[in-house]
Structures are given as C-alpha cells and as structure tokens.
C-alpha cells in the first residue's frame, strides 16, 4: 500500500469543524474508549492501539491502550507525529507492514519510529453522522507485521462501536455505558465530570435547566461555563474530596450554578463516583430547588439509574454502608455467584458466599479478610488477588482494589471494592512455574514415561483441572500407547486411564490423526457423529464429571511423537490461551523425547562401530598378515617376472601395507579408548618432542614452518605417544594445506598446564562439522569433495591419547583460512594415564 497524505483533506474546514465537535463529544465516552482501544489491541495481537480525533493542526488522543505513561497527556500532538492522518487522507483504511523499508522518506523517518520504536501500523477512519472523517482507530506494533484483510475488517468493525461520534442530540451521552437513550429519557438534569473537572456528560434536561448547550460545555472545564459554587467557594476543592471518597451511593449537596443568562441558580445535586476501567467519573443529577416538592420523588429514580449505570460496567463493584452491611452488588459480581437475574443483595451476604472466596493458595478467605472489609476498617487495598470457587462454575481470579468511603469530616460512610478479572493473566504467569517443574521432571528422569506422572501433576495443578494423560508413539509399531497419567482423586480403575487410542476416533485419536490441537468445550454435545468407541469414552468421561477436553500434539519438528490430553470438570474459557500454554509443555516433552531417541541411535551406532572393530581384530588381521607375507615373498622373486607382473606385485604390497596401517590404527584407537593399551609415563621434554616432530615434517614438505618454543618444558607423559600425536597433527596440516602455505607451531605455559598449538592455512573445517571431527571414521564434507585420501582415524587417535594424558584437544578457525589445533596437557599426571 502506497502511503500518501492529502493536505487538502486534512485542512478541509468542514472536516476540521466536525472533528472539533467530535472532540467535545468524545469525553462522554470516557468509560469505553480505552476499552475500545484495548479490544483492538487484543483482537489484532498488537501492543498498542489509539483512538484519536484530528483537526487541521493537531491529533488528540482520546483513548489508548499500551502507550507509555504520560503520552500526549498535555494536549494535542502535531500532525507530523501522527500516522492516523493516512486514514483521514484516504477516508479509508491505511496500513504499513514495515516503516523502515517504505519507499516514502516521510514514513521511514517518521517521529514515532524513534519515540515509540514503531515499525508497523494499521489505521481506519472514524466518521461522524455526515460521513466526515474526524478521527481514526489505529493499531500499532513495534515489530514488522503483515496486515491481512481480516485484520483490517476487524479494525473497521471495532471502529463502528464509536459511530456516530457527534450530533447535538447525542453529545450528552455516556456511550461507554450504552446510556444515551437512558440519559435522554431522564427528565432530570444530568451532568458528568472527570477528576480534572472536564465536563464529559450533559443531557437535554441540563440544557433546559441551565441554558447551555452540550456543545458549549462538553470537553471544557466546569468553571468555564457553569461555575458551580459550594459553601461560598469554587467547586474544585469539594470535587477533589468527592473523588477521594469515591461514594457509590448518592451524596446530596446544595449549591449554585451559573445560568447561561448570568444569574445564579440554586440546585440540589445528587452525586456519585463511578469506577471503571477508563477512570472515575462524578455523575450528578441536578434538581431546581424552586421545585423542591419533586426532590423526594426523584430520589428513587436516581438510585435506579445509578444501579443501571453500575450494572453496565464490566468490572465487579461491591459496597457496604457505615455499619459494614453490603448494600450494593453490581451485575458483574452477581454473575460470579450465579445470581445474574437477582437484583436484591442477600440480607446475610457473608453467609451466602461462605467458602466461595479463596486466597491465591486456595485457602478459604474469611469475610473479615476480604478487601471490602479491610477497606471498611480503614485500609486501602491495591490489586489483591481473590479466587472464586463456585460449584458447577469455572474457577476465576480477580485483582481487587478497595478503599474506605469517608465523609467531609472524615467519618466513615462505608467502603467500596472494584474487582477486575485476571484469570487468564494469572494462568499465563503460573505456567512459567509449570514449565520449570516440567523441565526439572524431564532433567531428573531416565525416560519420558518415568517423568510423565510429575509432568502431568504440574499441568493439572496449574490448570486446576482434575486429570491428564500422556501418550507416546512407539518407535517399532508406530502405535500410540499410554505413557503416564495423573488424577487429583487417584485412579479408581474404571477404565478412564490406560486405554488404547484409536487413530481418528476420540479426542486423543483425532489429534493423533491430524497432528493439530483439539478443544472440546462440552464432550456431551461437541463431538459430531460420534462412533461407538467415542460414545463409550463419552460415557466414561461424564461418569467422572468431565465436560471439557483439550489435547495437543507432542512434536519434534514435523514428526508426531505423542499426544498430551487434559480434562476439566467445569466449562472453560480462554481456549486460545490454554492451547498455547499446553503447546509449550508439549514442546518441552517433544524436545526431550527427540533427544532421548537421538542418544539411543548414537548408542546403536557406537555399538555397531565397536562390533566392526572387533570384527577387524578377530577376522581381518590374520588374513591380512598372510597377504602381507606372501606379497613380500613375491616381491623377492619378482626379478624373474616381466615389468607388468612386477608392477602388480608392488601395488599389492603397497595396498596391503596401507590396509595394515589402517587396521593397526583402528585397533590402537580402540585399545587406548578401552584402557587396554598401556602407557609408559615419564618426565619428558615436551619442547624437544615438538621440535623433532616439526623438523621431520619440514624435511618432507614444501610448506614453510615457524615455531615459537621455550627452551624446554618438562611434563609427565608417554614420549612415544606424544610424538605420535604431533606427527599426526603435522601430517594433517601438510595434507590439507596447499603448496606455498604456512604451518605455525607454538608451546605456551599457563598455570598448571602446557598448551601446544598447531595452526595451518589450509582448507579448514566447516563450522557445523567441527564438533564431529574427533569421532572415529568422520571426514569433513570439503575433504571428501576434494578427493583427499584418508580414513578419519587420525584425529580420533590424537584425541584418545590426549584424554589418556588427562588433557584436552580443541579445534578452532584460523582466520582467514585454516584451522588451529590446541592441545592442553597438565604438567603432572595424577595417577598415571586416564582410563
């Protein structure tokens, strides 16, 4: 998508006027706009989202999710700092997958790339009732992101939640609470103010009472138009006390307000502070005191309206009066208890929830330990976790904030608590510990079957589900077999566990066939056309009280290794989250099983090599000796033969000698590695051995050699074996280095060890193969492709000798070409050669 800005559209005075009206109307949506932004961020899986209004000079952030603290808190941002202008210019969707690679320099160098680390965005316009683009809903990502048509459609659908955003007949609505029609139907004047004193709600009755229109007051400070006075003082101080006390039952005060024609109007105000995810709002009903006789009749209507207001909140609200008796319980909390259609609070509310509220460790929470009662006794509680366990319902967790409600004189009026559900968030956090427990179980077990009970115990404990099973594919038969299970109530032997899955049938069998996760919300109804086997399994599950099943594949890349199946006794939500979390556990198991199988294959390979060596030692060496002896006898009498026969005898002799050396080296390596070959350890001058080996190699090579050697260095070792290692390393350097190359040899002493270093400028070793070059028979790919002869035993022999000397051998790159072989030997052997 080509991103361009149309300045004519951005500067259009009609559009700018519409944007100004929308900006005044937007505060009326305070209780929902942040929620809309959070919804957009969640559904598009991005870290940030904004709702903005854009005039001809500024972008105003009226709702956001995930922005840094304080962002755009002081007013409008210049249009140069906005990406939502692209949606305004097009009056349609605009997106960018990666701002850093855009053709437009304005996009690549955009201020948000540096200020927010922004890399990708998608934005759609917000239009008023006449179709004018007055703002935008924008999804922001700090990583490159490919936007699909589904993403854009989702963003457009979310934007529709904010339409229309202007219109004088709806400017006074608090849309976040879906209260537009409700407010317009209320005959009493209604006013809503945020903690800054900005008017965010003003209904038609208030316009009639005070003479101001909603356009004149909404979005401005209350003192700019209405100038309320309480107790002879401006309203600011009283407003601050109101938000501190945060009363959720109406508080009645008498004050005066300025009418549009300038005269002071005495009113009685019924006030309450509503807590929501977007912040607190002071809601006020105004009664003209000249009509005092209507005040009592209106009180009940005010209370009903407040109840409707609180019931529309997604967060739970509970409040008690000055005696500690619960007097308010909004719909969100009634639904937790299963009282969605019951409005009246039980007379003995604490007894009605006895045993339902729990601490995070699931210990019963006594009534006096609840956040509400702690606040009632004067404590301010910030985000304390409360778990609800209601029979027949899923276990839920809430972050609960509570505070006391105080009168102006400090006397206690009651307390209020607000509960935000954090079940999904806490479950994700607890899975970190679950992964740690799974890792520990795998690390300490000899097999996946041995680790399975501990793994499944960790998974069921984290989920709060009653049981789980692990099935693994048998290497030999390819069948899926039970590997382990766990149940919080034990195994009664009713056939629930240890059953044999059938491929393509049942939840486990279907995952086995498809290799894809499967979520069954209700086992009784959600399996279409169940087979006889499936109907039998359904009955077994239902008899155990199981209703929800989630099964995920255990994989190693594209290979299915098994299936992890978990069972829940109550309806569950968060399907996507739970699938991802269990996929993580399945991945840990898959890696472990794959590593164990690789180790098993490696043991089989090593056993095969050992069998081959034994075959060479017992079956090849004797006939090979006979071949060598006979070839020698033929060579002694070859003078009587013609040249062709003499040449054939020479070839037989050379080939037999080469094969004899390979067999001798192979048996030598095997003998050293097994400890059967004895070493003669004595004090030897390592420098002398190195010097002699270099001289011998230099005499038969066209390469240049250099040495960096001390005068002498004495170590404990077998001189013959050490010389054998150095001859082999120098022979490799000569073999794999082209004519004109260089070999450098040095000896360095460090602490209790001596390091011998042989560096060449040859063809080197591929990095991916460096860890294997010490294995028997291994030869690098570049060596094989260049046709250089060898048998892959030289470095394995050197490694075996050095290990018997309690030393190490390491191979590194020698930039720009070649390798460096480093031998590290101790000065003294602790107890003779290592076994």
């Amino acid at each position: 998508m080509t991103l361009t800005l149309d300045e004519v559209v951005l500067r259009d005075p009609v559009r700018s006027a519409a944007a100004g009206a929308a900006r005044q109307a937007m505060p009326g949506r305070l209780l929902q706009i942040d929620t809309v932004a959070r919804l957009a961020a969640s559904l598009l899986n991005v870290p940030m989202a904004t709702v903005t209004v854009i005039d001809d000079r500024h972008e105003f952030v009226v709702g956001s999710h995930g922005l840094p603290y304080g962002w755009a808190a002081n007013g409008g941002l210049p249009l140069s700092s906005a990406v939502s202008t692209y949606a305004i210019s097009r009056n349609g969707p605009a997106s960018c997958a990666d701002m850093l690679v855009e053709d437009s320099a304005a996009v690549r160098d955009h201020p948000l790339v540096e200020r927010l680390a922004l890399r990708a965005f998608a934005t759609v316009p917000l239009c008023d009732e006449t179709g004018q683009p007055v703002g935008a809903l924008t999804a922001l990502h700090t990583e490159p992101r490919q936007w699909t048509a589904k993403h854009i459609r989702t963003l457009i659908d979310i934007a529709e939640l904010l339409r229309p955003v202007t219109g004088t007949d709806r400017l006074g609505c608090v849309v976040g609470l879906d209260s537009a029609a409700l407010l317009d139907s209320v005959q009493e004047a209604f006013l809503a103010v945020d903690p800054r004193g900005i008017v965010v709600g003003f209904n038609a009755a208030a316009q009639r009472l005070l003479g101001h229109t909603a356009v004149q007051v909404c979005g401005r400070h209350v003192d700019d138009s209405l100038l309320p006075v309480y107790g002879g003082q401006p309203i600011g101080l009283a407003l601050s006390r109101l938000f501190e006390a945060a009363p959720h039952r109406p508080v009645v005060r008498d004050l005066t307000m300025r009418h549009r024609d300038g005269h002071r109007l005495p009113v009685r105000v019924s006030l309450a502070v509503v807590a929501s995810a977007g912040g607190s709002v002071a809601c006020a009903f105004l009664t003209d005191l000249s009509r005092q006789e209507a005040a009592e009749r209106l009180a009940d209507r005010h209370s009903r309206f407040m109840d409707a207001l609180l019931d529309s909140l997604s967060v739970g609200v509970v409040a008690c009066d000055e005696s500690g008796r619960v007097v308010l319980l909004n719909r969100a909390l009634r639904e937790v208890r299963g009282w969605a259609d019951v409005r009246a609070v039980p007379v003995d509310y604490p007894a009605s929830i006895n045993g339902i509220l729990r601490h995070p460790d699931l210990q019963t929470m006594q009534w006096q330990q609840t956040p509400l009662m702690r606040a009632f006794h004067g404590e301010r509680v910030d985000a304390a976790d409360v778990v609800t366990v209601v029979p027949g319902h899923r276990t839920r967790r809430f972050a609960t904030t509570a505070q006391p409600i105080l009168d102006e004189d400090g006397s206690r009026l009651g307390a209020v608590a607000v509960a935000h559900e954090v079940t999904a968030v806490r479950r994700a956090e607890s899975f970190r510990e679950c992964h740690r427990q799974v890792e520990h179980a795998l690390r300490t077990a000899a097999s996946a079957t041995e680790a399975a009970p501990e793994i499944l115990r960790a998974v069921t404990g984290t989920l709060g589900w009653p049981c789980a099973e692990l099935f693994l594919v048998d290497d030999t038969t390819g069948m899926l077999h039970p590997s382990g299970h766990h149940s919080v109530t034990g195994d009664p032997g009713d056939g629930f566990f240890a059953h044999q899955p059938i491929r393509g049938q049942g939840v486990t069998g279907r995952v086995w066939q498809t290799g894809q996760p499967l979520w069954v919300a209700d086992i009784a109804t959600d399996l279409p056309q169940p087979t006889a086997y499936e109907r039998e399994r359904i009955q077994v599950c239902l008899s155990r009280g199981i209703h929800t099943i989630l099964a995920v594949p255990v994989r190693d890349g594209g290979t299915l290794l098994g299936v992890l199946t978990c069972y829940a006794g109550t309806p569950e939500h968060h399907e996507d989250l739970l699938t991802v979390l269990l996929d993580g556990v399945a991945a840990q198991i898959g890696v472990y099983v794959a590593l164990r199988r690789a180790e098993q294959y490696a043991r089989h390979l090593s056993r095969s090599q050992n069998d081959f060596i034994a075959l060479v030692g017992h079956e090849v060496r004797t006939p090979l000796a006979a071949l060598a002896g006979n070839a020698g006898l033929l060579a002694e009498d070859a003078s009587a033969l013609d040249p062709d026969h003499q040449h054939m005898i020479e070839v037989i002799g050379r080939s037999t000698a080469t094969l004899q050396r390979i067999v001798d080296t192979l048996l030598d390596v095997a003998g050293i590695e097994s400890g059967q070959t004895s070493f003669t350890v004595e004090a030897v001058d390592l420098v002398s051995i190195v010097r002699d080996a270099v001289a011998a190699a230099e005499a038969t090579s066209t390469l240049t050699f250099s040495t960096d050697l001390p005068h002498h260095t004495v170590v404990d070792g077998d001189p013959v074996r050490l010389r054998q290692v150095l001859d082999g390393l120098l022979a490799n350097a000569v073999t794999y280095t082209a004519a004109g190359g260089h070999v450098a040899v040095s000896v360095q002493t460090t602490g209790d060890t001596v390091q011998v270093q042989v560096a060449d400028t040859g063809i080197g070793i591929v990095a991916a193969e460096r860890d294997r070059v010490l294995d028997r028979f291994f030869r690098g790919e570049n060596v094989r492709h260049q046709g250089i002869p060898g048998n892959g035993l030289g470095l394995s022999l050197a490694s075996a000798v050095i290990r018997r000397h309690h030393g190490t051998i390491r191979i590194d790159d020698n930039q720009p070409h070649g390798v460096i072989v480093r031998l590290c030997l101790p000065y003294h052997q602790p107890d003779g050669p290592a076994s």
Side-chain angles (χ1 to χ4, degrees), residues 209-419:
L209 177 64
L210 299 172
H212 298 275
T213 67
V215 173
Q216 292 169 335
V217 298
C218 282
R220 301 173 61 188
H221 197 279
V222 66
D223 285 338
D224 291 344
S225 54
L226 305 178
L227 196 60
V229 173
Y230 173 66
Q233 299 295 325
I235 198 64
L237 184 60
L239 196 61
S240 298
R241 290 197 302 266
L242 177 68
F243 278 102
E244 286 180 8
H248 283 263
R249 302 295 293 176
V251 176
V252 179
R253 296 288 184 268
D254 291 345
L255 49 86
T256 64
M257 306 187 79
R258 183 173 60 189
H259 194 274
R260 187 168 184 271
D261 62 10
H263 78 274
R264 305 297 301 181
L265 179 70
V267 294
R268 176 158 292 167
V269 182
S270 179
L271 290 161
V273 174
V274 177
S276 76
S280 298
V281 176
C283 297
F285 287 95
L286 313 177
T287 303
D288 185 352
L289 290 184
S290 61
R291 294 179 291 177
Q292 183 69 39
E293 65 278 5
E296 290 80 7
R297 189 172 61 253
L298 295 178
D300 181 62
R301 299 177 66 181
H302 293 167
S303 178
R304 290 177 180 274
F305 180 79
M306 284 298 176
D307 287 343
L309 204 62
L310 290 171
D311 279 351
S312 66
L313 297 177
S314 60
V315 297
V317 181
V318 59
C320 66
D321 60 17
E322 66 277 5
S323 67
R325 183 175 64 88
V326 174
V327 294
L328 183 147
L329 193 71
N330 77 335
R331 184 180 184 85
L333 280 190
R334 293 199 303 271
E335 288 177 345
V336 173
R337 186 59 183 86
W339 299 335
D341 298 327
V342 179
R343 298 199 59 86
V345 179
V347 176
D348 191 356
Y349 178 73
S352 69
I353 60 169
N354 184 38
I356 290 177
L357 303 185
R358 308 287 180 90
H359 293 284
D361 61 1
L362 297 184
Q363 294 297 314
T364 301
M365 179 179 290
Q366 302 300 322
W367 175 245
Q368 292 302 320
Q369 297 173 324
T370 62
L372 179 66
M373 286 296 97
R374 288 163 59 187
F376 175 74
H377 293 293
E379 181 182 353
R380 289 181 178 269
V381 181
D382 184 22
D385 273 16
V386 177
V387 179
T388 62
V389 181
V390 181
H393 295 72
R394 62 188 177 95
T395 299
R396 303 170 68 177
R397 186 178 294 244
F398 295 85
T400 307
T401 300
Q403 65 179 26
I405 302 175
L406 304 177
D407 203 350
E408 295 179 2
D409 59 1
S411 59
R412 183 175 60 195
L413 298 177
V416 62
V418 179

Side-chain angles (χ1 to χ4, degrees), residues 611-630:
D611 292 343
F612 173 70
I613 293 172
L615 175 66
V616 170
H618 294 289
E619 305 296 337
V620 177
R621 204 171 193 184
T622 299
L624 188 60
L627 284 174
N630 287 303

